Amino acid sequence: MPWEPSEDPTLARFSRQLVLPEVGPAGQAALAAASVLVVGAGGLGHPVLTYLAAAGVGHLVVLDADEVEVSNLPRQVLFEPGDVGRPKVEVVAERLGRLAPGCRVAALPRRYDPEVALEALHGVTLAVDASDNFATRFLLNDACRLAGVPLVHGGLTRFGGLVTTFAPAGPCYRCFFSEPPRHGRIPACGEAGVLGPAAGLVGSWQALEAIKWALGARAQALVGRVLLVDLWEALVETVRLPRKPDCLLCGEAPEITRIDPDDPTYAQARQMLEKA
């Protein structure tokens, strides 16, 4: 017998999801039991956090050390002009608490650094990379692989971006970028620019990837594939991302076996960020 919203008023808000065969009551229960780490509460983090909380994910952990700036407002739509100067995670937790009271939000106003890298992943179902710098991307990728935690990655620039999922047994971020690009080769959003709807679309796709994983729809996830989106030209394509046999992290003879604060890759990425 199909589920009827009238049978349980507390689930009426999820009625449009519950009628989906891919979700149903069992899937909704899986979402409620899920715990997701989201690194970054900016342009990508906003749609990720909003849609995960609204979908019924039970626990969100969000890390971001930044404060709200006026330049955030066109694409980080949980913020209001009066929030400028406040810690981003504080505002996000406040707004999500009103949007989805059943979702527990742990707001951590700090950088994702080697000291917290593995600790932040303890007990989570998966992680979402909504960061804006290579230092964080490499570190989060390495920590997730070492901890056996799947990672949904998103990148954003100008009018589009990319989305992929790094599963514990699939290729990782180092199969995509073996090392941080040279300074200036890939400009940051502050230099290249970004349009708000692009952040909304890429972040929403990340949220969908996270939901699929929490529901157990692993075969449908973007594992070993990268989704590329160009909203200006209205182009969407998917390209394969093979696992590199010589990858330092997930290759046949891995050299990275722990999180080392002195790892030169993290240092190189951090220096590039500080020069930006």
Side-chain angles (χ1 to χ4, degrees):
M1 177 180 294
W3 181 87
E4 294 291 342
S6 60
E7 295 175 6
D8 189 345
T10 63
L11 296 179
R13 67 182 296 158
F14 301 119
S15 61
R16 300 300 187 271
Q17 295 175 190
L18 286 160
V19 297
L20 294 169
E22 294 82 358
V23 182
Q28 196 63 51
L31 291 175
S35 177
V36 180
L37 169 68
V38 180
V39 178
L44 294 177
H46 270 234
V48 168
L49 291 161
T50 299
Y51 279 109
L52 291 184
V57 169
H59 185 213
L60 293 172
V61 181
V62 54
L63 271 76
D64 196 308
D66 293 341
E67 296 179 346
V68 180
E69 299 178 1
V70 68
S71 63
N72 300 149
L73 301 180
R75 65 194 177 281
Q76 299 175 27
V77 294
L78 288 174
F79 300 146
E80 301 172 357
D83 297 320
V84 172
R86 296 180 61 191
K88 284 187 175 182
V89 293
E90 176 184 293
V91 181
V92 164
E94 179 183 295
R95 302 283 150 77
L96 293 181
R98 294 202 294 263
L99 171 70
C103 179
R104 294 179 293 115
V105 181
L108 304 179
R110 63 167 299 164
R111 297 281 180 201
Y112 185 79
D113 54 35
E115 285 68 36
V116 76
L118 291 172
E119 179 185 351
L121 292 168
H122 181 70
V124 304
T125 308
L126 70 151
V128 178
D129 181 0
S131 65
D132 61 358
N133 66 83
F134 286 100
T136 302
R137 291 167 189 159
F138 276 92
L139 177 59
L140 182 56
N141 170 75
D142 295 356
C144 283
R145 180 57 57 121
L146 295 174
V149 173
L151 171 64
V152 177
H153 170 73
L156 181 67
T157 182
R158 291 173 57 80
F159 305 110
L162 61 90
V163 181
T164 188
T165 294
F166 300 124
C172 74
Y173 188 70
R174 287 181 183 268
C175 296
F176 195 30
F177 284 103
S178 58
E179 61 183 20
R182 292 192 305 272
H183 176 59
R185 184 177 179 184
I186 299 181
C189 287
E191 301 169 325
V194 62
L195 202 59
L201 179 65
V202 174
S204 295
W205 217 307
Q206 285 183 274
L208 183 56
E209 280 292 293
I211 288 171
K212 286 192 291 185
W213 194 272
L215 291 173
R218 313 292 162 81
Q220 288 72 35
L222 285 166
V223 177
R225 298 180 293 154
V226 180
L227 179 80
L228 302 172
V229 183
D230 183 336
L231 277 73
W232 193 256
E233 300 293 340
L235 298 175
V236 179
E237 64 175 321
T238 303
V239 298
R240 290 188 63 251
L241 175 62
R243 190 169 181 175
K244 293 176 61 177
D246 60 346
C247 177
L248 296 178
L249 181 66
C250 69
E252 296 173 355
E255 298 181 16
I256 300 173
T257 58
R258 65 188 182 92
I259 298 299
D260 182 359
D262 298 320
D263 186 295
T265 301
Y266 308 151
Q268 179 184 353
R270 177 59 62 189
Q271 290 170 5
M272 184 183 69
L273 175 64
E274 291 172 350
K275 292 177 182 177

